[in-house]
Amino acid sequence: WSLAGAPRGGGDCSNPTTPITPGVSCTPDLSLAPESPWEMPDSAGDEYVCWGVDLVRDPATHITAFAPKIDNTKIVHHVVLYEATSSYPRTPQACNAGSALTWRMVLGWAPGTKGFELPEDVGFPISSDPSAPTHYVVQMHYSNPQKLVGEKDASSIDLCTAPPRKHEADVMAFGSQDFTIPAAPGEGGAYTIDCALTVPAAFAGLHFFAAMPHMHKLGVAMTTTLTPKDGGQEVDLGTMASFSFDAQGWLPIDATTKTGDVIRTKCSWVNTTGAPVSFGENTAEEMCYSFTMYYPRIKSSLWSWA
């Protein structure tokens, strides 16, 4: 139709620019914000940008709720909050997405995600020691396939805090990085992976309470389940039977692991691109991650959320 000479329209096909400010029932008393806005280069289709904030609260404090404030929906693809082992500059700067594997994940935001409140006995700890603050890094994934010029963003995250709670929360991810979705010819572009993890003894007794299934724009369905070793009833750990990139969010779940339980994640896509698509950080690539909040947090220095 286009090649036949149809005239180009003059409308704006971009997303609305109204800032997204998800609400929570508590009143935020802390905010993580960059020192300055980031301007997206029009020459870059995808860009990972990081900035940091160090926090100390005396007496000791737990984060009990998150309210991400997304400034520019034209270019923000996702936001992830991490706890790092050292201080990171507050000025936004291009960063390597792979660096996040060495940090501890705290929260993820993607289109559709609202503010999130933890259960009343769970929180993320903030240091009370001025000599050893909690180092946070906010990783922004910007996507600008239309090569828009002069787009800036100053997204931030508001926090509610409270005295320390009974349990310290953490995040892990189930899924896979090892897949290639075939092109449409032959199989119609439909593809599903099914990956499983048998719970080792070291991870028995973990309690899962929230999950955020995450794929990119070819994703159509995703589910994670726990099958007890003793043959009990299968437990849902987060299902999006009709996945939409623009309608993601944290889902309430309730399960406790035992040695030998099997956690299975299935991701399904329909590839409409005409070429194979594999795992990757960019918008045109794909993911299969079920980010899962749990307690008690694993303390090992060798631990990685992925």
Side-chain angles (χ1 to χ4, degrees):
W1 182 74
S2 177
L3 293 175
R8 182 181 181 88
D12 180 7
C13 295
S14 62
N15 292 327
T17 58
T18 304
I20 298 174
T21 310
V24 291
S25 64
C26 56
T27 301
D29 57 316
L30 273 178
S31 183
L32 307 180
E35 189 173 72
S36 57
W38 170 263
E39 183 168 349
M40 182 69 177
D42 61 280
S43 60
D46 286 271
E47 191 93 272
Y48 275 79
V49 173
C50 298
W51 49 268
V53 176
D54 291 344
L55 290 183
V56 175
R57 297 281 291 218
D58 187 14
T61 300
H62 276 188
I63 297 172
T64 61
F66 303 88
K69 298 170 68 176
I70 307 305
D71 178 36
N72 187 341
T73 57
K74 286 184 180 181
I75 60 173
V76 177
H77 175 282
H78 75 237
V79 183
V80 185
L81 175 63
Y82 293 99
E83 182 183 323
T85 55
S86 59
S87 186
Y88 201 91
R90 194 160 187 168
T91 302
Q93 53 196 273
C95 59
N96 185 339
S99 299
L101 294 176
T102 66
W103 300 332
R104 189 177 284 270
M105 184 179 287
V106 179
L107 181 79
W109 177 94
T113 308
K114 305 300 182 184
F116 179 78
E117 297 185 53
L118 282 80
E120 61 182 12
D121 58 348
V122 186
F124 285 90
I126 299 175
S127 172
S128 60
D129 182 357
S131 66
T134 302
H135 307 294
Y136 288 112
V137 179
V138 176
Q139 181 199 74
M140 306 292 305
H141 177 186
Y142 294 114
S143 181
N144 187 20
Q146 295 178 305
K147 300 188 182 300
L148 303 175
V149 178
E151 293 295 333
K152 297 182 179 181
D153 178 73
S155 295
S156 59
I157 303 174
D158 285 348
L159 310 173
C160 294
T161 67
R165 294 177 164 184
K166 180 179 180 180
H167 302 291
E168 292 186 358
D170 196 22
V171 178
M172 66 173 67
F174 299 106
S176 178
Q177 299 177 346
D178 184 17
F179 59 84
T180 297
I181 309 163
E187 298 184 30
Y191 188 68
T192 296
I193 64 169
D194 182 343
C195 49
L197 169 73
T198 299
V199 176
F203 294 163
L206 300 181
H207 184 78
F208 302 133
F209 62 89
M212 179 183 172
H214 178 68
M215 297 186 287
H216 289 175
K217 297 192 175 182
L218 302 181
V220 295
M222 185 172 181
T223 183
T224 299
T225 58
L226 183 150
T227 302
K229 180 185 179 181
D230 58 15
Q233 185 175 358
E234 183 178 86
V235 182
D236 179 30
L237 294 185
T239 294
M240 285 191 170
S242 298
F243 181 87
S244 169
F245 179 81
D246 296 314
Q248 300 180 64
W250 286 95
L251 309 174
I253 60 175
D254 184 7
T256 301
T257 60
K258 298 186 300 297
T259 303
D261 289 348
V262 175
I263 296 173
R264 171 167 277 113
T265 299
K266 296 181 182 180
C267 289
S268 298
W269 303 268
V270 174
N271 186 354
T272 56
T273 68
V277 177
S278 299
F279 172 86
E281 307 288 350
N282 293 333
T283 307
E285 297 168 313
E286 270 300 333
M287 287 190 175
C288 174
Y289 278 145
S290 184
F291 301 116
T292 305
M293 286 193 183
Y294 74 94
Y295 65 79
R297 70 161 48 191
I298 296 168
K299 301 283 187 150
S300 170
S301 61
L302 301 177
W303 169 246
S304 171
W305 59 270

